[in-house]
Amino acid sequence: ATRYMTQVTGRDPLTGLKTSDNNQSKMLNAIRSFEIVTKLGQAVIGNASQSNMTALITGYGNLAKGFQALRSEGGKDFARMAGATFEQLQRDMVEAIGPSKLGGEVLKYTGFSKVEEFNRMLAANAGKVFAQDMVEKLKNGAVGNAAETYKRHLRAMGIEPMEVVSRGFQLTKDEQLKAARSVIERSQFKVRPQELPLYWNGPMGKLVSQFSSFGFKAAKMIKDEVINEARQGNYAPLARFALATPLVGEVFGDIQSVVKGGRERPQDTLSRLADNYASIGAMGIFWDAFRASGYGELGVLRRMAGPGLSDLAQIAGGVRDPKKLLKFATQNIPVIGPPITRNFLLNQNQNQTQGK
């Protein structure tokens, strides 16, 4: 209904703005580009842990076998055939967070794009190994709930188990590629517009929801791959999520803390656990961008308004307060801004407060 109203009226139903206004689109894209450059400079850290999400689907053993396969040229070629290419990555990122030549350069030179390409190639090979593992377990005589779980996994990858059985438990090349593409799409940062809330697809909706698709993707994956599997009697993904994921998050959370100039991490058990989960993969990127949008009691309001509108409000407020404007400008220097802000400006303010 929302898309129909947009087509009929030519306006974004959320804001009433014209969707065909080129000047408006240029302005909104410029704001989104600024946010990519200033907020995702350190996103490579969270993205480096994204393969942990792949393991929630395939298991750590199959992830390790996928890594071993990726070391060969055959594994790399297979991943490219499955769509794990730099060109596809660029198209997905434009769809997800907006067009930005400068932002693309920041993601490239901070290592984000390279890590994302590796994550996808690893997911492709892990997906292939995972499908073969499911077939092998059926071949070895799995019965009952275990057999149904293996068949469900194969069908989720677009593979019909009975057809594989009829061929003597052999996967075709096309089925291997289906498995690879399925695991890439389910575990990596690939979000189709039709998967997102409708109002996120309008001009203003894209600005307000910028970076939210990272968290949306992570939440959807946990629901589909962890919670729904547990409801059907498969508790392996839940065990991995509950036991292994926080350990991975502890490591990457500490790395983020150091890189950001000694950001203090929670010390009580529940808050630390939540912080560990928030440091992983797509959720880590989303949470990192949220932190970069500002701290304090207005944090939730800033999150609701989106990073772009939040920054515009901070600039407007800083016109009357040069110190706030200096802090904002420093904090938004790509890559090095957050640690400079924390170690220099905040410490300077604390010293001035103590001196009074």
Side-chain angles (χ1 to χ4, degrees), residues 77-185:
D77 290 340
F78 173 80
R80 295 186 187 103
M81 289 177 62
T85 63
F86 186 73
E87 291 74 21
Q88 183 60 49
L89 163 63
Q90 288 181 312
R91 286 192 289 270
D92 290 339
M93 293 306 293
V94 166
E95 184 66 53
I97 59 178
S100 171
K101 184 176 181 180
L102 183 57
E105 292 297 305
V106 170
L107 295 179
K108 176 181 177 181
Y109 287 108
T110 57
F112 181 95
S113 298
K114 198 67 178 177
V115 169
E116 178 65 13
E117 185 180 17
F118 169 81
N119 288 343
R120 294 181 181 211
M121 297 183 83
L122 177 55
N125 281 274
K128 174 184 175 182
V129 173
F130 179 52
Q132 292 171 334
D133 184 35
M134 297 298 97
V135 170
E136 193 65 28
K137 287 177 176 175
L138 289 173
K139 181 180 179 180
N140 291 337
V143 295
N145 187 57
E148 290 305 311
T149 297
Y150 304 148
K151 291 175 184 178
R152 184 172 65 253
H153 284 322
L154 288 170
R155 291 191 180 104
M157 293 184 280
I159 302 169
E160 179 48 53
M162 293 300 100
E163 292 182 9
V164 179
V165 171
S166 68
R167 291 195 301 269
F169 297 94
Q170 295 295 318
L171 289 170
T172 65
K173 186 73 171 181
D174 182 58
E175 288 170 336
Q176 291 175 344
L177 288 170
K178 282 183 178 180
R181 290 170 185 142
S182 173
V183 173
I184 290 174
E185 291 179 0

Side-chain angles (χ1 to χ4, degrees), residues 39-40 43 46 211-212 214-216 218 253 256 260 263-266 271 274-295 299-300 303:
K39 302 298 188 294
L40 296 185
F211 307 138
S212 294
F214 287 100
F216 182 89
Q256 288 178 340
K260 292 181 183 303
R263 175 183 70 85
E264 293 184 7
R265 302 195 64 201
S271 297
D275 195 65
N276 287 345
Y277 278 116
S279 299
I280 292 291
M283 185 61 77
I285 298 170
F286 163 73
W287 192 241
D288 197 41
F290 174 37
R291 289 195 190 104
S293 295
Y295 301 86
V300 175
R303 183 68 213 113

